Amino acid sequence: MGFNISLSGINAANADLNVTANNIANVNTTGFKESRAEFADLFSATSYGLSRNAIGAGVRLTNVAQQFSQGNIDQTGRSLDLAIEGEGFFTLDMNGYRVYSRAGNFQTDNAGYVVNPQGARLQVYAPNADGTRFDGALTDLQLLTTDSPPRQSTLVNLGFTLPGNADEPVSAFDPADSNSYNHSTGGVTVYDSLGVGHTQTSYFVKTNVPNQWQMYNYVDGQSAGAPTTLEFSDSGALVTPPPPGHIALDPFTPTTGAGVVNLTLDVTGSTQYGEKFAMRDVRQDGYASGKLNEISISEEGIVYARYSNGADRPLGQVALTTFNNPQGLLSKGNNLWVETYASGTPRTGAPDTSDFGQIQAGSLEASTVDLTEQLVNMIVAQRNFQANAQMVSTQDQITQTVINIR
């Protein structure tokens, strides 16, 4: 009986050493969670139970429990390296089979899909039509390599200050004669549906009526409608056109083959102050086509394609999954886990919501293995192994003594 007890102790110590060795071997494995060997004592029992003076029958390994604690976040600077700060697992599709991982060392395959080193595709929530929400079904994240399409301009924001002491020009307005107007915006580039740029210019002419101006609007040197009257209060605030201060220009048909351009000028907040003209705001909402510059990912896991024209196109939102009992997950190797009955039903959601963690782009989560702690565990397991081996030797000596009795 004593041999079996000592043998169970040797096996337990050997299992503890193996777990420690596996932890040490994965000290630099991205997203690795250290394991802990858990043991339970053994008793030989009958249908009548145990007697009060029963001696244990040894020990057995009951579980190798992975410890899902947070690992250090190491900066890498690589846009597709992702780390989870908090709870959750990356959700991956491996040939139609759902798997989970804490390792975010992703890359792209030959079709542009974002995959882990084993080829499992990262799952994201698809954006809706206007890219403002991500409540669609899970889908594979695929990076776009095509150009960003142009966006036709519809609104031009002009914020300006006209001088309060301006004089009326002596000659009738002519955009070719700088003496016939007081000031101009200098030209704002707007875009048609093909992404071709056009110049929208506004000219300001002081009238003989106090606090009143005429605003002439042109596109590519062609008049875009009758002049608009601007009127200011005696404190310099814009009165006409009334709020919201919009001026609709006549439709403009480009010669590029693009569609009709309908522009609206927003002059809200413009003023008449002081002695000098100033342009305080010049913006428009269109842009030309653009080349893909980079991929960026926010803390909420939203993946953006950023283009040279300043456009940002959302491609999806990274989906994270949590479990009631992460230790119930089944490890499949390669930093992957799959759900089991013990892990509970997976719950998938967006990063930085509820109890889901944040996404740290350009970073990787390091292994949770503490090398110093593992070396101490190794010494303890080694001593346990030696002690149980010594018990076998002692049992052998006792047995030999009994055999030699004459």
Side-chain angles (χ1 to χ4, degrees), residues 356-371:
F356 295 100
Q358 293 181 337
I359 298 296
Q360 299 295 326
S363 306
L364 290 175
E365 182 183 7
S367 169
T368 59
V369 174
D370 184 332
L371 190 56

Side-chain angles (χ1 to χ4, degrees), residues 32-34 66-72 86-87 102 365-366 368-369:
F32 180 79
K33 302 301 179 183
E34 70 169 306
Q66 291 191 300
Q67 308 302 301
F68 287 93
S69 57
Q70 177 70 52
N72 293 331
E87 298 296 322
R102 290 283 296 194
E365 182 183 7
T368 59
V369 174

Side-chain angles (χ1 to χ4, degrees), residues 25-99:
N26 286 281
V27 69
N28 288 322
T29 301
T30 299
F32 180 79
K33 302 301 179 183
E34 70 169 306
S35 298
R36 181 181 67 195
E38 298 177 348
F39 305 96
D41 59 342
L42 293 174
F43 272 88
S44 296
T46 68
S47 58
Y48 300 103
L50 293 172
S51 63
R52 295 176 61 86
N53 60 350
I55 299 174
V59 64
R60 70 182 180 91
L61 177 68
T62 59
N63 189 28
V64 178
Q66 291 191 300
Q67 308 302 301
F68 287 93
S69 57
Q70 177 70 52
N72 293 331
I73 304 298
D74 297 332
Q75 300 292 322
T76 66
R78 183 174 173 270
S79 61
L80 287 182
D81 282 345
L82 305 180
I84 303 173
E85 186 174 3
E87 298 296 322
F89 295 81
F90 294 111
T91 310
L92 306 170
D93 183 271
M94 176 73 83
N95 298 322
Y97 190 56
R98 192 59 53 81
V99 294

Side-chain angles (χ1 to χ4, degrees), residues 235-265:
S235 61
L238 182 66
V239 177
T240 303
H246 285 182
I247 302 170
L249 305 187
D250 287 352
F252 168 70
T253 303
T255 59
T256 61
V260 176
V261 178
N262 292 285
L263 288 176
T264 298
L265 306 183

Side-chain angles (χ1 to χ4, degrees), residues 278-299:
M279 288 297 302
R280 294 181 285 100
D281 184 20
V282 179
R283 290 175 292 130
Q284 57 87 36
D285 60 355
Y287 45 76
S289 61
K291 301 290 184 181
L292 179 64
N293 277 347
E294 63 176 352
I295 298 295
S296 66
I297 304 174
S298 69
E299 290 183 348

Side-chain angles (χ1 to χ4, degrees), residues 90-100 121 123 138-140 321 337-339 346 348:
F90 294 111
T91 310
L92 306 170
D93 183 271
M94 176 73 83
N95 298 322
Y97 190 56
R98 192 59 53 81
V99 294
Y100 308 94
R121 294 179 177 179
Q123 298 298 288
L138 292 183
T139 186
D140 302 333
T321 301
W337 289 274
V338 295
E339 66 175 284
T348 304

Side-chain angles (χ1 to χ4, degrees), residues 37-192:
E38 298 177 348
F39 305 96
D41 59 342
L42 293 174
F43 272 88
S44 296
T46 68
S47 58
Y48 300 103
L50 293 172
S51 63
R52 295 176 61 86
N53 60 350
I55 299 174
V59 64
R60 70 182 180 91
L61 177 68
T62 59
N63 189 28
V64 178
Q66 291 191 300
Q67 308 302 301
F68 287 93
S69 57
Q70 177 70 52
N72 293 331
I73 304 298
D74 297 332
Q75 300 292 322
T76 66
R78 183 174 173 270
S79 61
L80 287 182
D81 282 345
L82 305 180
I84 303 173
E85 186 174 3
E87 298 296 322
F89 295 81
F90 294 111
T91 310
L92 306 170
D93 183 271
M94 176 73 83
N95 298 322
Y97 190 56
R98 192 59 53 81
V99 294
Y100 308 94
S101 179
R102 290 283 296 194
N105 49 327
F106 296 111
Q107 57 197 30
T108 56
D109 63 12
N110 57 2
Y113 289 100
V114 176
V115 298
N116 73 350
Q118 289 71 46
R121 294 179 177 179
L122 179 63
Q123 298 298 288
V124 297
Y125 289 105
N128 60 1
D130 59 7
T132 58
R133 296 173 58 188
F134 302 88
D135 50 7
L138 292 183
T139 186
D140 302 333
L141 175 60
Q142 185 178 25
L143 303 187
L144 302 177
T145 57
T146 57
D147 291 348
S148 168
R151 176 179 177 179
Q152 180 173 306
S153 301
T154 59
L155 182 67
V156 179
N157 295 86
L158 297 176
F160 49 82
T161 296
L162 298 172
N165 63 345
D167 296 323
E168 179 185 7
V170 295
S171 55
F173 173 72
D174 181 356
D177 181 6
S178 60
N179 293 319
S180 66
Y181 56 89
N182 298 83
H183 304 282
S184 77
T185 57
V188 180
T189 301
V190 295
Y191 299 92
D192 61 26

